[in-house]
């Protein structure tokens, strides 16, 4: 396996498209508030210092900045198979 660490910045109200990582994913919020959800789970709004986890089987339909007036930043730690894609889009 390999581990990647990415910093993601979302503008106010910005959201991502539904996707999956086929990896263990740990999200750590640095600034602002983000709403995360995996398919079949409840949306969770996280603040600085809080974490969110996705399993390799999870589909991630919701990843968005929970605020319309301030940016959000978070670190994404991804543990995946060497050479596997980081993100795969899914219909949604």
């Amino acid at each position: 396996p390999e581990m990647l660490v990415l910093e993601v910045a979302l503008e106010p109200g910005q959201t991502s498209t539904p996707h999956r990582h086929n990896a263990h994913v740990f999200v750590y919020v640095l600034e602002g508030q983000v709403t995360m959800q995996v398919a079949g789970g409840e949306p969770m709004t996280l603040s600085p210092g809080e974490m969110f986890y996705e399993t390799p089987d999870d589909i991630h339909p919701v990843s968005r900045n929970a605020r319309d007036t301030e940016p959000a930043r978070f670190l994404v730690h991804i543990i995946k198979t060497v050479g596997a894609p980081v993100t795969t889009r899914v219909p949604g």
Side-chain angles (χ1 to χ4, degrees):
E2 66 180 343
M3 180 173 181
L4 302 175
V5 179
L6 309 169
E7 182 175 332
V8 176
L10 296 177
E11 294 300 319
Q14 184 179 354
T15 188
S16 69
T17 58
H19 62 277
R20 67 182 304 142
H21 297 287
N22 302 310
H24 293 277
V25 178
F26 300 85
V27 173
Y28 180 82
V29 180
L30 298 169
E31 174 186 351
Q33 289 189 316
V34 294
T35 300
M36 300 283 180
Q37 180 182 18
V38 294
E42 293 295 318
M44 299 173 54
T45 299
L46 307 166
S47 297
E50 294 184 313
M51 291 189 73
F52 176 79
Y53 170 70
E54 293 175 55
T55 73
D57 297 324
D58 283 329
I59 293 175
H60 193 175
V62 175
S63 177
R64 72 172 171 264
N65 184 336
R67 301 287 175 107
D68 291 329
T69 57
E70 61 188 65
R73 288 186 315 118
F74 52 93
L75 292 177
V76 182
H77 300 76
I78 300 171
I79 301 170
K80 67 179 195 64
T81 301
V82 175
V86 174
T87 301
T88 303
R89 292 185 63 171
V90 296

